[in-house]
Amino acid sequence: MTLNRLLECKVCRIKLVSKYRGIQYVCRECVSKLASNRREQIKRKVLTHYSSFPPVCIRCGYTDIRALSIDHINGGGNQERKALFGSIHSGGRNFYAWLIENHYPDGYQVLCMNCQWLKRVENKEHRYHTSTPKVSRLQNLMH
């Protein structure tokens, strides 16, 4: 038999209905906010270590943390993420936590997403690195 008790969120104090005893509850909205704040703190800590305070893109000077990220100086980020986490899509907070746990290894820098994309194109690190634009099928049909 479950016991329904009226509790309140430990953060925002809204009323919650609990079916369990003795557990401190936080509502879903507050859990989400707390987790988001924690992810941002970890990201800021890593970016500050590899840059300055506040974090800045080393190429263009951009400072909005939402668009800043860690770049592998010599490329190879996909291969490294696949080796570390089993997938090239496991970056972000997993990678930032790995950098902290491994005492901030060398070989990384802070770039904004625009500068990262430009670097990938310049170094031909992406499949869309052709220097001349592709002619569309429609343009070919018109000639």
Side-chain angles (χ1 to χ4, degrees):
M1 182 170 153
T2 60
L3 176 64
N4 288 333
R5 295 175 45 194
L6 192 61
L7 299 175
E8 61 183 34
C9 171
K10 300 298 179 188
V11 178
C12 69
R13 304 285 183 214
I14 67 166
K15 299 295 180 192
L16 301 170
V17 175
S18 167
K19 294 184 178 183
Y20 305 99
R21 297 180 203 192
I23 299 175
Q24 293 183 354
Y25 279 89
V26 179
C27 68
R28 285 185 183 181
E29 194 172 306
C30 289
V31 166
S32 178
K33 287 177 188 175
L34 292 169
S36 179
N37 288 342
R38 179 70 181 137
R39 284 191 302 271
E40 186 176 329
Q41 286 175 351
I42 290 170
K43 180 178 182 178
R44 188 175 302 277
K45 182 177 182 179
V46 170
L47 294 179
T48 300
H49 176 82
Y50 284 105
S51 178
S52 61
F53 185 80
V56 60
C57 174
I58 64 161
R59 213 168 157 178
C60 71
Y62 193 72
T63 59
D64 189 336
I65 194 168
R66 295 173 299 175
L68 296 176
S69 64
I70 291 294
D71 174 65
H72 296 73
I73 292 173
N74 297 318
N78 283 342
Q79 293 87 349
E80 183 177 55
R81 279 189 303 279
K82 191 169 186 176
L84 290 173
F85 309 113
S87 170
I88 64 170
H89 303 292
S90 291
R93 70 175 178 241
N94 293 335
F95 186 61
Y96 294 139
W98 181 87
L99 289 170
I100 293 169
E101 290 168 10
N102 288 277
H103 309 289
Y104 304 102
D106 293 335
Y108 303 97
Q109 63 188 355
V110 176
L111 291 179
C112 68
M113 295 310 291
N114 283 339
C115 289
Q116 267 205 31
W117 186 259
L118 291 172
K119 180 184 168 230
R120 289 172 72 186
V121 171
E122 291 165 0
N123 295 342
K124 297 180 173 49
E125 296 174 350
H126 196 274
R127 63 182 176 189
Y128 303 116
H129 66 266
T130 56
S131 57
T132 57
K134 291 184 177 181
V135 178
S136 72
R137 289 179 64 191
L138 182 60
Q139 289 174 331
N140 281 336
L141 292 174
M142 292 173 64
H143 287 67

